[in-house]
Amino acid sequence: MLLCIALESSSFLRSVNRKSEPKTELQPDVDVWDILRRAPPSEYEKIAFQYGITDLRGMLKRLKRIKKEEKKSTAFLQKLDPAYQVDKGQKIKLMVELANPDAEVKWLKNGQEIQVSGRYIFEAVGNKRILTINHCSLADDAAYQCVVDEEKSFTELFVKEPPILISHPLEDQVVMAGERVEFECEVSEEGAAVKWEKDGNELKREETFKYRFKKDGKKHYLIINESTKEDSGHYTVKTNGGESVAELIIQEKKLEVYQSIADLTVRARDQAVFKCEVSDENVKGIWLKNGKEVIPDERIKISHIGRIHKLTIDDVTPEDEADYSFVPEGFAYNLSAKLRFLEIKIDFVPRQEPPKIHLDCMGQAAPDTIVVVAGNKLRLDVPISGDPIPTVIWQKVNKLLSESEGRVRVEMHEDHCIFIIEGAEKPDEGVYRVTVKNPAGEDKADITVKVIDVPDPPEAPKIINVGEDYCTVQWQPPKYDGGQPVLGYILERKKKKSYRWMRLNFDLLKELSYEAKRMIEGVVYEMRLYAVNSIGMSRPSPASQPFMPIAPPSEPTHFTVEDISDSTVTLKWRPPERIGAGGLDGYNVEYCKEGSTEWVPALQGLTERTSALIKDLVTGDKLYFRVRAINLAGESEPALTKEPVTIQEILERPKFWLPRYLRQTLVKKVGETINIVIPFQGKPRPKITWTKDGQTLDAKEVGIRNSTTDTILFIRKAEHHHSGTYEVEVQIENMNDKVAITMQIMDKPGPPQNVKIIDVWGFNVALEWKPPQDNGNAQISGYTIQKADKKTMEWYTVFDHYRRTNCVVSDLIMGNEYYFRVFSENLCGLSETAATTKTPAYIQKTGTIYKPPSYKEHDFSEAPKFTHPLVNRSVISGYNATLSCAVRGSPKPKIFWYKNKVDLSGDAKYRMFSKQGVLTLEIRKPSPFDGGFYTCKAVNECGEAEIECRLDVRAPGAKGLQLAAIGAQKGFQQWDSLLMEPSARF
């Protein structure tokens, strides 16, 4: 697309910037506490960076202290929420509701009572007590308590800092290989956390010592001390509120001049040698004389040996006096020097000789031409003769020159005169006339002086073609080439808001256009260029009009015909895979009759939806359809129907598409909303019938809604009697299809039955109970056992998730009496009430000293023996994996783990655990290279044993993630089962 012409208008540039920015919508407030509760530990650092949490460790400790269950309160009708969060600078209200409206309330912060001030406001509205904190700061991030009498209500307040913005972005850089690179950016807050990425991969200190990160207040630096070619790429700095991208180009070519050529003054018939030395011995170059290339002959020799370039002139003559330059190929260097010819002494002339000017060009038709580089000294050395010594007059185009002009002066000698102009300029060009007079006569000569210079700066380049990451730049030659042919051009670019220009080429551009690449889509750039001739480089041209690299989107995907009737067609598609910085303005839908080439718009204007209903079509027509995605850069390639579509109703056999999660028992909790959507196909519109256990559904309890593509069963509040098998049938004429759905509605279980104290001895009490009568329509997964001292009646949990129906409570205090209660548990949670022992258990004090009988010491020594083997496993790459087994032996054996016979003891990637004979090897985020055979070896003084398994590590995928979750669940179940086996303990 030719985009740059339009970019000249500022209004269009503003619209481009608006299009290129991502759409920002008001995001709902997120509860960071809730996110941390639900997230796995591996995601904690990512969440902390995203939401600006600076003290993650402290927040996790506070999160752990928030109680999951609180005993019933007599002072509070409504307690504080477990946690609150507020943005920095905003206000927050903490509210409780009291049972007694006349009760006194104290508010504490980190255990200290809060006093009324401008920031802390206390309110009492009926039974409600409200603490308002105005203009929250990081100091308000603390634990708060509301105290009524002896009861307390706890909460945690998290003050969220505003997002960190990038106030000064990164700059593009071009350096030579081996040089130091330093990227610098500035953010809105001091001490903010930032991430550095290279080509989308995060850079970390522990991964490489190549990169160095530095903070200085609001400024952040990424430093590469010695850059290499591999460091080229796009570098990104990210905060939780923005990002900045810059490009680094490492250029390997660099030419240094070790020795430049020097001015020479040579007598007639002598030899003149110009010599220079550069850093690269492979660099070639050309020699210029007054801007024209020197052609070698018998008298003039050009040589190149290693890094040294020579120009040798034998038998120097006056014609050799000139400015000589050496220009290395591929580099904008110009090494210049001047050769001066020392005049040979003039022969003796007799007295009263008329004056004479001795110039080699006197007999030629054209005047002598002297070429000088602008800024250099112009020196005209003219031999003269005559007796008496003649008077010399210099003139330029009828203008008398005098020494008063400052830069111009004349020197007189017996046999020659010298005309000098310091720092020659363009206006000094022209024909200079020298006149010599004495009583015997006069003589004249004209000398043409030509001043050459660097070219004028070219006009601003034009951008004629813009793509996703490239553009085509065109320009015109400079109006004045400096008197020498333009050898090429140098192009530079920069970001519009930046001040640093980046050079795009090191070899001179010979053409008047160039395709610049490796730009970032959505960033506004400017271009400028320099013209280069044999003298040097011009000043930079004006910058081009700002432009933004953007490209049209790719074609829409999954373009299909969803439905056809006698006069309509429903089309459906998905957004393009690549939308780009230009955003997406909408879609253009067209159709064309078979055999025709005319495409007719199917809709008026663009549609933002990814589906379209085309109406008022002629029955029987065969049509092709196509859709294009449109953005600021233009249209995408069309997505086209491969075959023509006939406009007529099609009889389609009815069929259900049962979702995968409905193919097994659907488990819901009592009180939850049930919304089952079952898609189907069939034309014309089929008849839908729902039944439950063979009976018609009650419309008062179950809602049914049918459309042309799906049927929905809706239950607002699930109850036990909604459990059962539901059948749905779709029927068209004599064709039908059926599916069945099994639904299980669960509730919390009832309390266990008959909790009894079976025995009391020493510090121990044995309990026994029976499973609950009502299991809540779900399997009992365990029990929670609690104890309470009769004096305080405060309940403490002894066991949770306990699976047996009997247990032994130990470590009781002698002389105290204890009550015990048991909760049952299923997938819905703990039972609402507990079964409590009717009488307390008294831990009797002993009055006599127990003398244990003496037994012969038994030898318990035993060689190691694995009671539970290692199991072959297959895990997903990137997820922590564990291998577990159980061993028995006395004395306690030493454990060694091996992978492919290699000891893993010193490897930080692996963690080894041993608990009551259960051995576990944890592999942190395994990769495919961590697959192989793992061996566990147990050794004690009685012998040794070992066991082996195979571990396969697979790349992640949609199915792989599901298997990883199942594998992790099985791993925990296996750990529990191993701990429950007494034979697994040492």
Side-chain angles (χ1 to χ4, degrees):
M1 290 290 299
L2 299 176
L3 192 62
C4 295
I5 297 175
L7 281 171
E8 294 180 0
S9 66
S10 61
S11 61
F12 184 78
L13 182 58
R14 288 195 296 271
S15 70
V16 170
N17 289 331
R18 286 199 301 271
K19 292 276 185 181
S20 63
E21 292 173 355
K23 296 181 180 178
T24 57
E25 300 178 356
L26 290 175
Q27 300 292 336
D29 287 342
V30 294
D31 188 349
V32 179
W33 296 97
D34 188 57
I35 291 173
L36 283 173
R37 277 196 205 98
R38 300 172 183 271
S42 60
E43 297 290 325
Y44 285 166
E45 289 189 8
K46 181 179 177 182
I47 294 170
F49 180 81
Q50 183 176 357
Y51 294 102
I53 300 172
T54 55
D55 185 15
L56 175 62
R57 182 174 297 178
M59 189 171 181
L60 291 176
K61 286 181 180 178
R62 289 161 56 188
L63 187 66
K64 225 174 185 180
R65 291 199 300 265
I66 296 176
K67 296 184 179 180
K68 297 181 180 178
E69 299 177 13
E70 295 183 359
K71 62 181 181 180
K72 193 170 182 180
S73 172
T74 58
F76 293 96
L77 295 179
Q78 180 183 343
K79 289 192 170 186
L80 296 169
D81 291 343
Y84 295 85
Q85 72 175 31
V86 63
D87 290 335
K88 183 180 177 182
Q90 301 299 315
K91 72 176 180 179
I92 185 71
K93 291 189 176 184
L94 309 180
M95 184 182 71
V96 297
E97 190 171 349
L98 307 181
N100 180 10
D102 298 325
E104 291 187 3
V105 170
K106 287 184 181 179
W107 291 93
L108 306 180
K109 172 185 174 183
N110 288 338
Q112 300 295 321
E113 185 173 355
I114 302 175
Q115 303 298 327
V116 179
S117 66
R119 293 183 58 248
Y120 298 103
I121 301 173
F122 303 109
E123 297 179 73
V125 182
N127 284 28
K128 296 180 180 178
R129 299 293 182 269
I130 304 171
L131 168 64
T132 302
I133 306 174
N134 290 317
H135 306 294
C136 291
S137 65
L138 293 181
D140 297 315
D141 190 292
Y144 291 83
Q145 301 174 31
C146 180
V147 182
V148 178
D149 297 331
E150 298 298 324
E151 287 199 40
K152 300 178 181 179
S153 177
F154 297 86
T155 189
E156 293 278 352
L157 177 61
F158 168 52
V159 180
K160 190 170 70 171
E161 293 191 80
I164 304 300
L165 304 178
I166 297 178
S167 54
H168 184 77
L170 301 177
E171 299 286 352
D172 295 336
Q173 296 194 43
V174 180
V175 299
M176 295 297 175
E179 290 184 350
R180 184 176 185 268
V181 178
E182 182 177 293
F183 284 106
E184 175 189 346
C185 77
E186 188 173 336
V187 297
S188 56
E189 294 288 340
E190 288 192 11
V194 304
K195 284 185 180 179
W196 291 92
E197 294 181 355
K198 177 181 181 291
D199 297 331
N201 299 317
E202 185 177 353
L203 303 177
K204 296 183 179 180
R205 290 182 176 87
E206 57 268 21
E207 292 179 355
T208 176
F209 295 101
K210 183 177 187 66
Y211 304 103
R212 188 160 63 90
F213 307 94
K214 189 173 76 170
K215 290 183 183 179
D216 184 7
K218 296 182 181 180
K219 293 184 179 180
H220 293 255
Y221 300 88
L222 169 64
I223 300 170
I224 307 173
N225 284 325
E226 293 187 7
S227 58
T228 62
K229 188 70 175 176
E230 291 73 22
D231 294 323
S232 296
H234 290 89
Y235 288 79
T236 307
V237 60
K238 289 185 176 180
T239 67
N240 61 348
E243 64 178 46
S244 175
V245 184
E247 183 181 7
L248 173 63
I249 297 177
I250 306 298
Q251 182 67 33
E252 292 183 330
K253 261 189 174 181
K254 183 178 180 181
L255 189 69
E256 296 182 8
V257 178
Y258 293 154
Q259 179 183 347
S260 184
I261 59 178
D263 293 345
L264 296 176
T265 302
V266 183
R267 295 178 178 273
R269 311 298 294 177
D270 284 351
Q271 184 186 67
V273 179
F274 289 103
K275 183 177 77 169
C276 67
E277 184 179 0
V278 295
S279 59
D280 190 347
E281 61 183 19
N282 296 319
V283 170
K284 298 180 180 179
I286 59 173
W287 290 89
L288 304 176
K289 176 184 178 182
N290 290 336
K292 296 181 180 180
E293 186 175 355
V294 176
I295 307 300
D297 54 23
E298 294 181 356
R299 195 171 61 86
I300 299 174
K301 307 289 190 303
I302 295 176
S303 64
H304 173 203
I305 302 174
R307 297 182 305 206
I308 297 176
H309 298 259
K310 282 186 180 181
L311 172 64
T312 304
I313 306 174
D314 296 328
D315 299 329
V316 173
T317 64
E319 291 84 358
D320 295 325
E321 187 174 58
D323 288 320
Y324 289 86
S325 301
F326 176 73
V327 180
E329 289 185 5
F331 296 91
Y333 284 100
N334 182 14
L335 310 180
S336 300
K338 185 176 182 65
L339 174 63
R340 295 184 178 87
F341 179 76
L342 186 60
E343 180 64 30
I344 301 174
K345 187 177 180 180
I346 302 174
D347 295 336
F348 175 79
V349 292
R351 292 186 178 274
Q352 293 294 326
E353 180 182 356
K356 180 71 175 174
I357 298 174
H358 300 274
L359 290 177
D360 294 336
C361 59
M362 293 300 292
Q364 300 174 3
D368 195 8
T369 299
I370 304 298
V371 179
V372 63
V373 177
N376 290 352
K377 179 192 291 187
L378 172 64
R379 177 188 174 102
L380 301 180
D381 198 336
V382 180
I384 59 175
S385 62
D387 193 9
I389 298 174
T391 302
V392 180
I393 301 172
W394 289 89
Q395 290 179 319
K396 177 193 174 188
V397 191
N398 301 324
K399 179 182 177 183
L400 183 65
L401 295 173
S402 67
E403 298 183 13
S404 62
E405 294 186 15
R407 295 186 304 110
V408 180
R409 71 176 189 272
V410 177
E411 296 180 2
M412 290 297 302
H413 298 275
E414 183 179 346
D415 55 355
H416 67 281
C417 67
I418 303 173
F419 177 72
I420 299 173
I421 300 179
E422 298 286 350
E425 299 174 354
K426 179 66 179 174
D428 294 329
E429 276 192 352
V431 178
Y432 289 80
R433 176 168 296 170
V434 56
T435 303
V436 291
K437 294 181 180 180
N438 71 0
E442 69 176 35
D443 193 9
K444 296 180 181 180
D446 289 341
I447 303 174
T448 301
V449 175
K450 182 179 181 182
V451 180
I452 59 177
D453 198 355
V454 296
D456 285 349
E459 294 182 356
K462 295 182 178 181
I463 314 299
I464 63 169
N465 186 27
V466 177
E468 180 181 5
D469 61 349
Y470 66 90
C471 72
T472 301
V473 189
Q474 274 193 352
W475 60 88
Q476 296 297 325
K479 293 181 179 179
Y480 173 61
D481 62 3
Q484 296 292 301
V486 175
L487 302 177
Y489 300 89
I490 293 172
L491 191 64
E492 292 183 336
R493 77 156 190 246
K494 78 173 181 67
K495 297 176 183 175
K496 180 172 174 55
K497 295 182 179 180
S498 174
Y499 61 88
R500 178 179 293 176
W501 289 91
M502 185 173 71
R503 186 167 174 173
L504 298 183
N505 64 294
F506 284 84
D507 296 332
L508 295 179
L509 301 175
K510 306 295 183 182
E511 305 296 331
L512 296 177
S513 65
Y514 179 74
E515 185 176 283
K517 298 181 179 179
R518 295 171 57 86
M519 288 183 284
I520 302 169
E521 187 178 10
V523 176
V524 180
Y525 290 94
E526 294 176 338
M527 294 280 187
R528 73 179 184 185
L529 73 152
Y530 300 82
V532 180
N533 64 7
S534 60
I535 305 305
M537 190 162 60
S538 71
R539 296 190 309 277
S541 72
S544 68
Q545 287 292 333
F547 67 96
M548 178 190 296
I550 56 175
S554 58
E555 69 274 7
T557 58
H558 300 86
F559 181 45
T560 57
V561 177
E562 190 176 39
D563 193 15
I564 307 173
S565 70
D566 288 339
S567 61
T568 64
V569 169
T570 303
L571 304 173
K572 196 172 183 180
W573 60 91
R574 292 184 186 175
E577 292 181 356
R578 181 181 55 78
I579 294 177
L584 197 62
D585 294 340
Y587 301 93
N588 183 24
V589 184
E590 299 174 309
Y591 66 85
C592 173
K593 288 186 178 181
E594 185 180 27
S596 173
T597 58
E598 180 183 0
W599 287 92
V600 180
L603 302 172
Q604 294 213 358
L606 302 179
T607 177
E608 295 184 358
R609 306 182 54 157
T610 55
S611 62
L613 175 62
I614 315 301
K615 300 180 180 179
D616 302 327
L617 300 176
V618 179
T619 304
D621 279 357
K622 293 185 177 181
L623 304 177
Y624 288 96
F625 293 89
R626 72 182 184 186
V627 60
R628 296 175 184 266
I630 312 292
N631 74 355
L632 184 67
E635 298 181 339
S636 71
E637 293 295 322
L640 184 69
T641 54
K642 296 181 181 179
E643 301 293 335
V645 179
T646 303
I647 309 302
Q648 64 181 21
E649 188 79 39
I650 300 173
L651 181 65
E652 187 176 23
R653 186 177 186 86
K655 181 175 177 60
F656 279 111
W657 301 100
L658 190 64
R660 187 181 297 275
Y661 76 97
L662 294 177
R663 297 176 190 174
Q664 54 192 2
T665 301
L666 179 64
V667 179
K668 291 287 184 179
K669 296 180 182 179
V670 170
E672 287 186 344
T673 299
I674 298 175
N675 189 16
I676 298 175
V677 181
I678 305 178
F680 62 81
Q681 68 179 30
K683 292 182 183 179
R685 184 165 181 166
K687 178 183 178 183
I688 308 296
T689 306
W690 281 86
T691 59
K692 175 179 180 285
D693 298 329
Q695 302 296 322
T696 305
L697 296 177
D698 186 355
K700 295 181 180 179
E701 292 190 354
V702 180
I704 303 295
R705 185 187 68 80
N706 300 321
S707 71
T708 57
T709 58
D710 56 36
T711 178
I712 299 175
L713 181 144
F714 180 78
I715 302 175
R716 189 174 301 278
K717 193 173 182 181
E719 298 179 5
H720 272 303
H721 67 269
H722 289 134
S723 300
T725 301
Y726 292 77
E727 278 193 348
V728 58
E729 179 183 15
V730 56
Q731 185 174 6
I732 300 175
E733 297 179 356
N734 60 346
M735 299 178 292
N736 68 346
D737 190 20
K738 287 183 180 181
V739 292
I741 302 166
T742 302
M743 195 181 303
Q744 179 183 352
I745 308 301
M746 302 185 310
D747 198 0
K748 293 182 179 180
Q753 305 178 74
N754 302 327
V755 178
K756 297 178 182 179
I757 297 174
I758 303 300
D759 194 8
V760 179
W761 74 98
F763 306 95
N764 311 297
V765 173
L767 301 176
E768 186 178 72
W769 62 89
K770 293 182 180 180
Q773 287 183 343
D774 180 15
N775 63 1
N777 204 20
Q779 183 180 358
I780 298 298
S781 59
Y783 300 92
T784 296
I785 299 93
Q786 296 181 339
K787 68 179 179 180
D789 194 322
K790 186 178 179 180
K791 297 175 184 177
T792 62
M793 287 308 294
E794 291 187 4
W795 292 97
Y796 296 93
T797 299
V798 180
F799 300 107
D800 56 358
H801 309 302
Y802 192 79
R803 302 195 179 202
R804 299 192 182 99
T805 56
N806 55 73
C807 72
V808 175
V809 181
S810 302
D811 299 329
L812 302 175
I813 300 174
M814 299 187 72
N816 289 1
E817 293 183 86
Y818 292 90
Y819 283 95
F820 301 91
R821 68 181 182 185
V822 182
F823 293 88
S824 52
E825 183 180 7
N826 65 6
L827 289 175
C828 288
L830 296 177
S831 57
E832 295 289 346
T833 60
T836 308
T837 55
K838 295 180 180 179
T839 59
Y842 178 67
I843 310 303
Q844 191 173 10
K845 293 182 179 180
T846 58
T848 59
I849 300 174
Y850 173 72
K851 294 182 179 180
S854 59
Y855 296 98
K856 184 179 179 181
E857 186 175 355
H858 179 71
D859 184 11
F860 290 93
S861 299
E862 182 183 5
K865 179 182 178 181
F866 284 94
T867 60
H868 194 285
L870 289 173
V871 179
N872 292 338
R873 290 199 62 192
S874 177
V875 299
I876 302 299
S877 175
Y879 294 83
N880 289 1
T882 59
L883 301 176
S884 298
C885 61
V887 70
R888 183 175 66 197
S890 180
K892 184 177 178 180
K894 292 185 178 179
I895 306 302
F896 303 90
W897 286 91
Y898 301 88
K899 174 195 169 190
N900 295 334
K901 305 303 181 183
V902 177
D903 188 8
L904 302 178
S905 300
D907 195 334
K909 187 177 183 69
Y910 302 88
R911 289 201 301 175
M912 304 163 192
F913 303 93
S914 175
K915 183 177 181 182
Q916 298 182 356
V918 178
L919 311 177
T920 304
L921 175 68
E922 181 182 356
I923 307 169
R924 298 181 178 177
K925 297 184 179 181
S927 65
F929 299 103
D930 292 317
F933 289 90
Y934 285 78
T935 304
C936 180
K937 185 177 181 180
V939 180
N940 69 3
E941 61 189 27
C942 297
E944 64 181 45
E946 66 179 38
I947 194 167
E948 184 179 79
C949 74
R950 179 182 177 86
L951 176 68
D952 293 324
V953 182
R954 298 181 288 105
K959 186 174 181 181
L961 295 175
Q962 184 179 2
L963 291 175
I966 295 172
Q969 184 177 1
K970 288 183 178 179
F972 287 121
Q973 292 173 352
Q974 183 183 17
W975 172 269
D976 287 344
S977 64
L978 289 176
L979 285 176
M980 296 302 300
E981 292 180 10
S983 61
R985 303 173 182 170
F986 290 118

